[in-house]
Structure formats: C-alpha cells, structure tokens
Amino acid sequence: KLAYKEALNEAYPDRSKWGKQPRSGASCDVFVGTVMRASGADPNFPRGLDEVENHIAKNSKKYKVINNPTQEEMEPGDIIYELYKGGGGHISIFLKEHRIAQAQYNGKTYPHVQKYEKQIKDSHKKFCVYRRKNNG
C-alpha cells in the first residue's frame, strides 16, 4: 500500500477537487493511470474512462487495439477496457495466468489482484485490450 500511495502522489499530486473514491486512489481509472504514469509507460495516461479511448486514438503509434480478445490472446501488461451496455465500465491490467490488477471502491478497497473472469460478451457495449507497442 505504501508503494502505491507514493506512486499515486507522484502521478497525481493534486487530487483535492476529486471525489473520495478517486482521491484515495481506489477507483479503477485512477489505479491504471497511476501505474501507467508512475512506471513511465505512459506519463500522460488519462484519468477517467471517458478519456481513455481518445487518448489511445491520439497515441496510435504507441498502442495496438485488440477487440474482443480471448484470455489466451492477452499478454501481461495489457490494459483491459470494458464498457457495459447498461452503463458504466471498468479498466484493469492483465497480469498472467488469468489474473488482473485492479481497484474497485467499496469503502476502502485499494488495488488488488484477483482471478480474471470476463463477463459474457453480450453484457458489453465495448470490450477490448490496449497493448503497448514496443516502438512507442
């Protein structure tokens, strides 16, 4: 938790106007943004699911988009981007062996690792993976 808090403070030094959930770093978009920014993989990775698609499109030299991949097609470091038909969405990072790193807010939940079980495709308006290209 300490390493994550340090990375969060580095990636987003001023969170004073954010809501409780993202301010504490316990939302999925802030978690992925923190990892991408603090690791140097993408120092400008946005916060907010609604900004991710535009960012990826503007940085197409850095990212490959894979629509509706199977778990077998995913690679460690892939960013899983999900929008649901009923509204809302989720973003996480694929690790390996069908596990993901993510954050969800239920009070004080910080980032954690869990087994990844993709929901039925019918529940998705959009399901894709953003993979960093080696040249970007």
Side-chain angles (χ1 to χ4, degrees):
K1 286 184 179 181
L2 181 59
Y4 178 69
K5 286 182 181 181
E6 289 174 5
L8 177 65
N9 289 332
E10 178 185 320
Y12 301 105
D14 181 15
R15 302 182 304 278
S16 61
K17 296 180 181 164
W18 294 7
K20 181 179 178 182
Q21 171 181 339
R23 190 171 55 242
S24 69
S27 63
C28 62
D29 59 320
V30 172
F31 168 70
V32 172
T34 296
V35 170
M36 296 299 285
R37 287 173 175 230
S39 70
D42 187 341
N44 299 310
F45 201 87
R47 169 188 167 252
L49 283 177
D50 55 339
E51 297 177 32
V52 172
E53 286 185 89
N54 284 339
H55 177 76
I56 298 296
K58 288 178 185 174
N59 292 279
S60 61
K61 291 181 181 178
K62 293 182 181 181
Y63 291 94
K64 177 180 181 180
V65 179
I66 304 166
N67 290 304
N68 297 311
T70 64
Q71 288 188 35
E72 288 70 30
E73 294 173 300
M74 291 187 208
E75 296 179 3
D78 284 351
I79 298 169
I80 302 169
Y81 183 78
E82 302 173 85
L83 292 180
Y84 307 119
K85 286 182 180 175
H90 191 61
I91 191 168
S92 57
I93 300 172
F94 189 78
L95 299 174
K96 62 181 180 177
E97 300 170 1
H98 305 288
R99 300 189 77 72
I100 59 169
Q102 65 176 346
Q104 291 173 307
Y105 187 71
N106 347 337
K108 294 183 179 179
T109 303
Y110 280 91
H112 59 282
V113 174
Q114 73 179 53
K115 185 173 180 179
Y116 179 63
E117 296 179 27
K118 186 169 73 87
Q119 295 181 1
I120 299 169
K121 286 184 183 179
D122 290 347
S123 68
H124 287 87
K125 179 168 75 174
K126 181 173 184 102
F127 174 76
C128 67
V129 158
Y130 299 127
R131 181 173 294 157
R132 296 249 324 138
K133 294 179 182 177
N134 290 332
N135 65 352

